[in-house]
Amino acid sequence: MKRSTSLFSMSFETLTLEGGLFVPEMLDQVSRGDAEGQSPADYHLARGLKLNDEASRSFQIAKAAFKAFGRYSDKSI
């Protein structure tokens, strides 16, 4: 299968795009934090909070909920 070449050079060494759902320019914008909908204001964060910190916090909450779910799903009814 022939790979298409592009003049745009992605900044991801381990990522290969297949098809046209994501274009390299968009992924580059997202990785820089310049894409639409990526500002703290878009997430209605309180002043002084950082988006990365809130994403990490949300992940930890989801991980704890999933762990609790696993404890309950293992028990027979």
Side-chain angles (χ1 to χ4, degrees):
M1 174 183 227
K2 183 181 176 187
R3 290 191 183 261
S4 63
T5 57
S6 171
L7 295 176
F8 185 82
S9 175
M10 287 193 349
S11 58
F12 304 102
E13 293 178 12
T14 58
L15 184 66
T16 302
L17 295 178
E18 300 290 337
L21 184 59
F22 297 108
V23 293
E25 293 86 356
M26 182 189 73
L27 290 178
D28 198 43
Q29 251 188 343
V30 169
S31 72
R32 287 191 318 264
D34 295 338
E36 184 179 331
Q38 283 190 286
S39 74
D42 294 323
Y43 290 90
H44 307 287
L45 297 181
R47 199 173 293 179
L49 295 179
K50 295 180 182 175
L51 192 55
N52 286 345
D53 295 338
E54 287 301 297
S56 178
R57 178 179 170 270
S58 296
F59 177 75
Q60 293 301 323
I61 291 169
K63 194 166 86 169
F66 184 77
K67 187 176 180 181
F69 174 76
R71 281 194 302 256
Y72 291 111
S73 66
D74 290 340
K75 296 181 181 180
S76 59
I77 298 177

